[in-house]
Amino acid sequence: MKISFTSSLNHSPQPAAVPSRATTVNAGTDDRLPPAGGIWPLDLQRHRQRHAAPSMIRQEDTMHDSTNPISAHGQAVASRWTQAALSCEPADQARAEAAVRLAYRSAGHPEPSRFLWCPSPPAALQQVRQLLEDGHPSLVASVRRDALNNALAAERAPIWEQTSDHDRFTAFGDFHDFMEWHGYYGEQRYDGFEARYNLMEHRYLCNPVTEGERSALTPVLQAVRQVYEQVLGPVWAAVDRTLTGGYIMQFAWYWSDEQTIVKRNDEGRAVIRYCLNPRDWFFDPAWNHFPDWLVLAAIDTYQQVLGTAPTPGWEGCRDVALAAGPWWPLSGVAVMMQRPTVLRVTGDGLLHGVDEPAVVWPDGSTLWARDGAIVPPG
């Protein structure tokens, strides 16, 4: 079924004014411990023999809802970022632009000379595509992804420093076993003697996630991820189908699923994969274009537990996400997106409109849905 929007996308969108609207560490010096991201092949093999039966790992994926009840602090964090992702409030343009300038400076880039405010996802992505084609390099990797990875690493470091030797060893084995068994480190292969090839050559280099971290993060991230699956995923998939020459948009992705081997320093993706196992190697426009709310929720969870001071890079990305819709930093220009004016969901959080659009944006673009499924207009 072809997905369409009621507004025409055949012309190049122009930034438009928005009318007022009603909105419905270090691993330590102990020689017995591996460094962050280090490897003990024999010890890891023994750990697998004791703990890493594939059937046990598969069962673990279904246990988080019942074994990790969300705390009051976690509920506050989850509410903050799910509400930000679903907000229909008008964008605070002054706050958002100030935050973007901070994010550029924190990443070592000159502040953007232009802000292009777009009234809908189709308009924003068309604008990004045009800028990429005109030779404006994407700064998504450094201004957004690297900044949030650095902030996340800073939040996690004190936990690893306070973790006992025994728990570090357990976390190291559990974390890398999970990534291997679930295919994130590549395809598991066996030779003629059924000996596994070593998949740790391209492993994540960050400190492993401890059980305490996973227990605190998982219910928060599950709540935010549900918004992606039920609302943002269908919306962005529908928008993506309206684009032509979409290959160039990969330069504006936060995460690229064209890679079969992990980006070893991508701490945010490593943490989220370990807590959620989102099977995110399949193409998902919402996951690739703007997963920021999910990464921001992870950082916020660490801050609520540890009370650590925010980094400048985190502050910039955080304030943009709380003040406006998705955004794309490029050299010399930042593409900003307005929030929808209407977003209708069921009590279960599914996109749904009864004889009316489920989503409406300021330029009149609409998206129709019934019980979470995208349907033709009308």
Side-chain angles (χ1 to χ4, degrees):
M1 179 183 299
K2 182 178 180 180
I3 307 301
S4 61
F5 288 84
T6 57
S7 63
S8 173
L9 299 179
N10 294 327
H11 64 282
S12 297
Q14 299 296 324
V18 179
S20 59
R21 64 257 179 102
T23 64
T24 54
V25 320
N26 296 326
T29 58
D30 192 331
D31 292 336
R32 295 171 297 167
L33 294 174
I39 179 171
W40 283 339
L42 294 179
D43 287 338
L44 187 56
Q45 182 179 357
R46 297 187 191 106
H47 185 282
R48 288 195 188 102
Q49 293 170 352
R50 292 197 301 269
H51 299 292
S55 60
M56 293 175 61
I57 294 178
R58 295 192 192 99
Q59 292 170 5
E60 187 179 60
D61 296 339
T62 65
M63 292 172 57
H64 293 311
D65 286 334
S66 60
T67 61
N68 293 322
I70 194 166
S71 66
H73 288 304
Q75 184 62 61
V77 173
S79 296
R80 176 160 43 253
W81 294 107
T82 55
Q83 289 172 14
L86 298 175
S87 176
C88 291
E89 293 296 318
D92 185 337
Q93 295 191 21
R95 180 188 179 191
E97 291 180 7
V100 169
R101 293 188 182 97
L102 174 60
Y104 270 69
R105 293 195 304 269
S106 300
H109 296 289
E111 296 179 5
S113 58
R114 290 187 294 158
F115 291 88
L116 301 180
W117 283 90
C118 300
S120 64
L125 293 184
Q126 293 283 11
Q127 190 71 61
V128 171
R129 187 188 68 175
Q130 186 62 53
L131 289 166
L132 291 171
E133 291 175 346
D134 290 345
H136 290 267
S138 171
L139 301 180
V140 170
S142 59
V143 175
R144 283 170 45 200
R145 189 186 67 214
D146 292 351
L148 294 181
N149 277 340
N150 291 338
L152 182 61
E155 304 299 339
R156 298 190 61 234
I159 295 178
W160 189 251
E161 292 171 356
Q162 298 167 15
T163 299
S164 69
D165 292 1
H166 175 271
D167 289 345
R168 286 189 187 185
F169 178 80
T170 301
F172 183 86
D174 289 346
F175 179 79
H176 292 295
D177 267 342
F178 176 91
M179 295 298 177
E180 289 192 46
W181 281 110
H182 289 87
Y184 292 116
Y185 286 172
E187 181 182 358
Q188 297 189 47
R189 298 177 182 274
Y190 299 83
D191 63 18
F193 298 96
E194 296 186 347
R196 290 193 329 117
Y197 287 103
N198 182 16
L199 300 179
M200 294 287 284
E201 181 180 355
H202 297 285
R203 66 193 179 279
Y204 282 118
L205 298 178
C206 62
N207 290 329
V209 178
T210 66
E211 184 57 34
E213 290 176 83
R214 198 181 196 189
S215 296
L217 285 167
T218 297
V220 175
L221 297 181
Q222 282 177 333
V224 181
R225 177 64 180 173
Q226 185 175 5
V227 172
Y228 277 87
E229 293 176 342
Q230 297 183 346
V231 178
L232 303 178
V235 169
W236 283 96
V239 173
D240 189 72
R241 295 188 188 108
T242 69
L243 297 176
T244 57
Y247 65 90
I248 197 171
M249 294 301 296
Q250 293 180 21
F251 295 102
W253 285 356
Y254 187 100
W255 284 325
S256 173
D257 287 336
E258 297 301 313
Q259 299 286 335
T260 56
I261 301 299
V262 300
K263 292 182 174 66
R264 302 178 70 189
N265 292 313
D266 197 340
E267 190 149 354
R269 197 165 200 180
V271 170
I272 289 170
R273 279 174 161 171
Y274 189 56
C275 292
L276 296 183
N277 190 25
R279 300 291 183 178
D280 60 348
W281 54 78
F282 295 112
F283 180 76
D284 181 344
W287 194 232
N288 286 321
H289 282 303
F290 204 79
D292 300 44
W293 290 299
L294 201 60
V295 185
L296 289 161
I299 298 171
D300 205 3
T301 302
Y302 281 99
Q303 292 193 358
Q304 292 301 317
V305 174
L306 296 174
T308 53
T311 64
W314 143 267
E315 289 180 333
C317 294
R318 176 200 63 193
D319 287 352
V320 180
L322 293 174
W327 65 291
W328 292 265
L330 295 95
S331 179
V333 58
V335 176
M336 314 294 292
M337 201 182 90
Q338 297 286 350
R339 292 162 169 162
T341 56
V342 175
L343 182 64
R344 298 183 173 97
V345 298
T346 67
D348 294 329
L350 299 173
L351 276 176
H352 184 75
V354 179
D355 299 325
E356 56 189 349
V359 190
V360 181
W361 286 281
D363 63 355
S365 296
T366 62
L367 188 67
W368 293 66
R370 300 281 177 82
D371 295 319
I374 305 301
V375 298

